[in-house]
Amino acid sequence: MMAKFSNEFYKCFIKEDRYKLLISGIGVTIKVSLLAIIIGILIGMLIAMCNLSKKKVLRVIGGIYTDVIRGTPSVTQLMIIYFVIFPPLQLEKWIVAAIAFGINSGAYVSEIIRAGILSIDKGQTEAGRSLGLNAFQTMSRIVIPQAVKNIFPALCNEFIVLIKETAIVGYVGLMDIQKAGDFIKSATFLAFMPLIGTAVIYYVLIKILTLALKKVENRLRRADAV
Amino acid sequence: MKKTTKLLTMMLAGILAASLTACGGGSAKGNAITFGTNPEFPPFEYVTSNGVIGEFDGIDMAIAKQIGEDNSMEVKMESMEFDSLLIALQNGQIDAVIAGMTATDERRETVDFSTPYYTATQVMIVKEDSDIASAADMADKKICVIQGYTGEVCVQDMGYTYEAFKKGTEAVMELVNGKCDVVVLDSATAQKYVSDNEGLKIVEDASAFESEEYAIAVQKDNTELLNKINASIEKMLADGTINDLAVKYTEATNAE
């Protein structure tokens, strides 16, 4: 039993330096996720502003965006963006993938931000305005700083979902952690070791991120108490 | 609020513009050729840490490399899902497809194929004690195939119901675990599965399964590239290079 286990482990990870595939896969997953998170937050803020805007046109645009993106699977979106929209631009694959995930994540982030801003009592805005601050100042100095604390935990959750979501980039031929595991699976004809290995790597990555984000969140809460 | 919106728009536009200018990539023309493949089909193409072209290795990869050397072109390899290969080829994201791809009439409608470089046939893998001896015996059995591969098309044409898996390993696992009775797939790969898993055997039925020919696909009317590829393949077929490669890689992957 033990010998079979170590033999499979050797075949899947050590033989022909297969662990190197997983390491470069980790790099791709991190690269795609990070850029996607940045794009997602930017789009999210933009769409949230649209949705909260007084102008009807902007609200309609924001509404359609969230509706369409949330209403279609991310695999489909990724394939549309890679095979239909971006071919003429000749961008690097991982950037196209990151843009696709960023666009997808933006819809969810916008709802998180919108909910966070709406959670701040209207009296705060009114107080700001009556103290002579203009709308922008009220938003940026009074409402948003308070909203951030409500937004942050939900946003962390969205990051974690996003990282796991990137496991589908194999569809456009990027070798992330999942795809590296798949390649090992198809080269060794073994299923257990590569799949469990893939799961462990994702788990550890997300555990590290969760701990780091927890620290930031605690820091935000501490500032709250003062 | 308006200012924030404006600022955000500008930032977003900036990021997009930066990413646009920063990277070229894609299929370079001139003295390079970009092949597309789906490296999950050993011994024809699979991923290893040091293959013949980057991390890609296998019979097809060695052939692609030789084509590059014959025409003094730099060979690049892009990996993607099998279903996406011909789309990427038509989009111009890749110059040619080498992926153990059968030159079917359906595919010929959208792309051109080179001279076939390898002839493969479909076989059935069953458990050693199975009573399946011909394709007709599959009628009331549970059949597994690999999605998008020729085996699926064959079983479909015979009118049997089947279950399609994304990967060959998954289909063979079902067979090993007793959840299905027979897996239909390419002979070269079938041999590898049988030597890797105890208690399995191959059943052939030449009358039911036509043999098929693997060829390289290029964009329609890309005669210049097609001629270069054909010249190279004909040379490799004549001097036995491809046969040697087939034996070498089948043995290498089977020995694992």
Side-chain angles (χ1 to χ4, degrees), chain A residues 19-163:
Chain A
Y19 66 93
K20 284 184 185 159
L21 298 174
L22 287 165
I23 290 174
S24 67
I26 294 173
V28 171
T29 297
I30 291 178
K31 233 166 34 171
V32 171
S33 307
L34 273 185
L35 184 58
I37 285 170
I38 294 170
I39 297 173
I41 290 178
L42 291 175
I43 294 182
M45 290 203 273
L46 198 68
I47 298 298
M49 291 301 164
C50 286
N51 282 336
L52 291 168
S53 163
K54 289 194 186 70
K55 288 213 179 70
K56 192 161 181 223
V57 191
L58 290 180
R59 280 209 310 275
V60 169
I61 294 176
I64 292 176
Y65 184 88
T66 347
D67 202 43
V68 169
I69 299 294
R70 287 203 301 191
T72 49
S74 38
V75 188
T76 318
Q77 290 165 13
L78 174 68
M79 305 258 263
I80 290 176
I81 286 172
Y82 184 74
F83 287 110
V84 182
I85 300 176
F86 272 94
L89 289 180
Q90 303 262 321
L91 274 180
E92 260 184 61
K93 254 185 204 172
W94 74 271
I95 293 177
V96 177
I99 291 173
F101 287 112
I103 289 174
N104 178 276
S105 179
Y108 295 91
V109 171
S110 79
E111 285 300 284
I112 293 170
I113 294 179
R114 195 174 67 98
I117 289 175
L118 288 178
S119 73
I120 303 303
D121 195 84
K122 205 156 186 264
Q124 298 282 331
T125 317
E126 283 161 3
R129 294 308 299 272
S130 62
L131 284 171
L133 299 177
N134 64 30
F136 176 70
Q137 285 169 326
T138 315
M139 189 49 99
S140 64
R141 299 199 188 157
I142 295 178
V143 178
I144 290 184
Q146 296 183 74
V148 163
K149 281 173 201 151
N150 291 339
I151 292 171
F152 195 75
L155 209 52
C156 296
N157 192 39
E158 169 60 24
F159 291 167
I160 289 167
V161 173
L162 176 65
I163 292 173

Side-chain angles (χ1 to χ4, degrees), chain A residues 15-18 21 42 45 55 82-83 87 90-91 93 95 136 170-171 173 179 183 185-189, chain B residues 1-2 4 15 19 23-25 39-40 42 47-49 78-79 81 84 91 93 169-170 192-193 256:
Chain A
K15 195 170 179 202
E16 295 184 17
D17 290 341
R18 291 209 166 102
L21 298 174
L42 291 175
M45 290 203 273
K55 288 213 179 70
Y82 184 74
F83 287 110
Q90 303 262 321
L91 274 180
K93 254 185 204 172
I95 293 177
F136 176 70
Y171 274 94
K179 199 70 195 176
F183 282 153
K185 185 155 71 84
S186 62
T188 57
F189 299 96
Chain B
M1 187 116 120
K2 258 186 206 151
T4 335
I15 286 194
S19 52
C23 344
E40 295 175 72
V47 172
T48 162
S49 59
E78 287 257 350
S79 103
E81 293 290 306
S84 305
N91 278 345
Q93 286 161 310
T169 31
E170 287 161 8
K192 167 114 182 79
Y193 285 116
E256 226 179 68

